[in-house]
Amino acid sequence: MQSCPKTYLSLLALTAIVAVLSGCNRAFYRDQADREVACIVGQTSHGTEEVIPSLTIMPHPQSRMFSPGSPDCPPMPPDDPVSHRYMRCVDGKRGWPCWDMYGHT
């Protein structure tokens, strides 16, 4: 019985697509770091008489460090004019068209 090479190629392509799309993204790593920090804080506060309020790494909305944008898709920070020129055109080639996708700070 002969097997079709197209079937193997299709299966290989489908496997590659699934592997790429199921990879870890920025939100995964941010959530993982938050869980690790919460675990460490919980371990160090165990056995104390004081009740430690819930801690978070997110700054308070009234803080100057607060950013209203998404932590997973943050807006682009300001850039110096010379570097910005190279973001738009390098050696006569257009830059990535999605630089402004998430806005600017």
Side-chain angles (χ1 to χ4, degrees), residues 2-68:
Q2 282 186 326
S3 56
C4 180
K6 286 186 178 182
T7 305
Y8 288 125
L9 290 176
S10 299
L11 185 60
L12 182 64
L14 181 64
T15 304
I17 289 171
V18 168
V20 167
L21 294 178
S22 65
C24 300
N25 57 19
R26 188 174 185 151
F28 172 81
Y29 289 115
R30 182 180 52 80
D31 291 338
Q32 182 182 23
D34 288 347
R35 284 192 304 272
E36 289 176 7
V37 168
C39 181
I40 292 169
V41 168
Q43 288 174 354
T44 57
S45 65
H46 185 70
T48 62
E49 294 83 33
E50 297 180 16
V51 176
I52 297 176
S54 62
L55 298 175
T56 178
I57 61 169
M58 300 303 293
H60 191 272
Q62 294 178 341
S63 168
R64 67 180 177 90
M65 300 298 292
F66 179 73
S67 176

